Amino acid sequence: MGIMRIGHASIRVMDMATAVKHYENVLGMKKTMQDKDGNVYLKCWDEWDKYSLILTPSDQAGLNHVAYKVEHDSDLDALQKRIEAYGIKTEMLPEGTLPSTGRMLKFKLPSTHEMRLYAMKECVGTDVGSVNPDPWPDDLKGAGVHWLDHCLLMCELNPETGVNKVAENTKFVMECLDFHLAEQVMVGPGNAIQAATWLFRTTTPHDIAFVGGPRNGLHHIAFFLDSWNDLLKAADVMAKTKTKIDVSPTRHGITRGETIYFFDPSGNRNETFAGLGYLAQPDRPVITWTEDHLGSGIFYHTGELVPSFTEVYT
Ligand SMILES: [Fe+2]
């Protein structure tokens, strides 16, 4: 029961036509719907629900909300009680607030990011179907990402004023939403400040991550690829399409993931993330990275942080 996985991200884009082109031709997603307000809905080929990404027209980039899917409709009532008891206000949005989607429990994380939980979304099936399926479809475009994998939210962290939204978010999602802590970065005197966390509900190292920074925002949404070879091909696609790459293929120490960071045309950071990391289980010991090894945690090969990685986000 409870949260199963990330369900969708709703992000703002400044030019819808170029944004759709990016998510279709670079990532390989397919447009499944457009509503009367001009919002565009897309899915990846290996996903079975109708959409995992909503693009909304705006004059600036960033995250509207991130949504996670729960197993049973009754989970929404149980989680609403827990979240309210924790002291966070919630709102139950009626079915149809988003097309093809059931009622949604809406609330804000301590970092003010909007999160929604839902139990129902129209199932349209994967692109290879569920009867004697082929391992991949014939009409893959671009990187051919499998699914929306996780998001990383930047959270205000200011040790001088005692503000730590990373720690507040982490406590909240662990106590109320039953997320498990896979890895954390501890900094400051005695490594006492929890500056970043990676948490899971599936069996992979993270379904959500929180990293400390000067202000709250969206760092990236990540899409899953099978292998290092697929990642290399994804980078080739980005070069061919003149997509702005932030960090070319490398490996994270944290989660062991293989990664590319790049930007959509509005400046929202995307990641293609390959490798299932390790078996994440509730009883697995939490991995801690100390400040002196932070570079290796983020970029394992060079061990050096890229300034834009922590400074540029929407
Ligand atoms: Fe990521």
Side-chain angles (χ1 to χ4, degrees):
M1 80 151 258
I3 291 176
M4 293 193 291
R5 62 175 182 274
I6 193 167
H8 67 255
S10 171
I11 62 169
R12 297 187 292 270
V13 297
M14 295 183 290
D15 182 323
M16 187 57 75
T18 58
V20 171
K21 213 169 134 190
H22 169 82
Y23 287 98
E24 283 183 338
N25 295 345
V26 180
L27 280 299
M29 299 181 80
K30 281 185 180 164
K31 179 175 166 179
T32 53
M33 271 191 294
Q34 181 158 0
D35 66 24
K36 59 177 172 27
D37 299 318
N39 303 308
V40 172
Y41 300 73
L42 301 106
K43 78 180 274 294
C44 308
W45 72 265
D46 214 3
E47 291 170 333
W48 47 93
D49 284 346
K50 193 157 185 181
Y51 63 90
S52 60
L53 182 65
I54 309 173
L55 303 177
T56 72
S58 178
D59 56 5
Q60 62 173 32
L63 180 74
N64 294 314
H65 70 263
V66 59
Y68 284 76
K69 191 173 189 184
V70 301
E71 190 171 2
H72 304 293
D73 188 71
S74 57
D75 293 341
L76 297 175
D77 300 311
L79 289 167
Q80 181 171 33
K81 281 199 191 91
R82 286 168 69 176
I83 296 166
E84 293 270 354
Y86 192 85
I88 289 178
K89 284 198 185 69
T90 66
E91 184 185 353
M92 193 69 82
L93 303 173
E95 178 170 358
T97 302
L98 284 175
S100 304
T101 307
R103 62 185 186 137
M104 286 181 292
L105 182 62
K106 170 182 159 180
F107 54 93
K108 285 196 167 139
L109 296 174
S111 57
T112 73
H113 295 92
E114 182 181 322
M115 183 179 272
R116 296 186 186 183
L117 305 178
Y118 67 93
M120 194 286 286
K121 190 181 279 175
E122 185 185 344
C123 178
V124 295
T126 72
D127 284 16
V128 292
S130 302
V131 180
N132 309 321
D134 291 314
W136 41 270
D138 287 331
D139 58 349
L140 276 186
K141 271 186 168 179
V145 294
H146 287 247
W147 55 74
L148 176 68
D149 189 81
H150 64 267
C151 66
L152 192 158
L153 306 178
M154 292 297 289
C155 302
E156 189 185 349
L157 174 66
N158 186 341
E160 279 173 23
T161 56
V163 174
N164 187 348
K165 296 297 176 188
V166 172
E168 284 184 42
N169 275 8
T170 301
K171 181 170 186 283
F172 168 69
V173 302
M174 289 180 77
E175 287 186 13
C176 276
L177 307 182
D178 296 326
F179 274 82
H180 306 289
L181 184 62
E183 306 199 28
Q184 60 182 347
V185 172
M186 302 298 290
V187 303
N191 285 321
I193 298 167
Q194 192 178 41
T197 54
W198 288 257
L199 300 113
F200 63 93
R201 281 289 304 164
T202 62
T203 55
T204 63
H206 68 323
D207 301 302
I208 196 165
F210 306 120
V211 172
R215 61 180 173 82
N216 300 317
L218 172 67
H219 190 274
H220 66 263
I221 52 173
F223 298 89
F224 186 78
L225 285 172
D226 263 339
S227 69
W228 178 250
N229 206 47
D230 292 336
L231 211 68
L232 183 67
K233 187 186 161 202
D236 293 344
V237 168
M238 290 169 209
K240 286 172 84 168
T241 53
K242 304 277 187 288
T243 300
K244 170 79 180 149
I245 292 181
D246 181 28
V247 178
S248 58
T250 186
R251 184 201 280 279
H252 292 305
I254 296 164
T255 74
R256 296 183 201 156
E258 298 148 13
T259 181
I260 307 170
Y261 289 111
F262 54 103
F263 294 101
D264 78 6
S266 302
N268 293 300
R269 188 185 273 97
N270 294 166
E271 178 183 28
T272 43
F273 181 87
L276 290 168
Y278 47 77
L279 182 64
Q281 295 279 276
D283 65 337
R284 188 184 175 95
V286 174
I287 295 169
T288 296
W289 294 81
T290 52
E291 193 164 7
D292 54 329
H293 283 70
L294 180 57
S296 307
I298 305 292
F299 299 118
Y300 186 66
H301 297 155
T302 61
E304 286 171 13
L305 285 175
V306 177
S308 67
F309 179 77
T310 44
E311 289 163 12
V312 178
Y313 55 95
T314 55

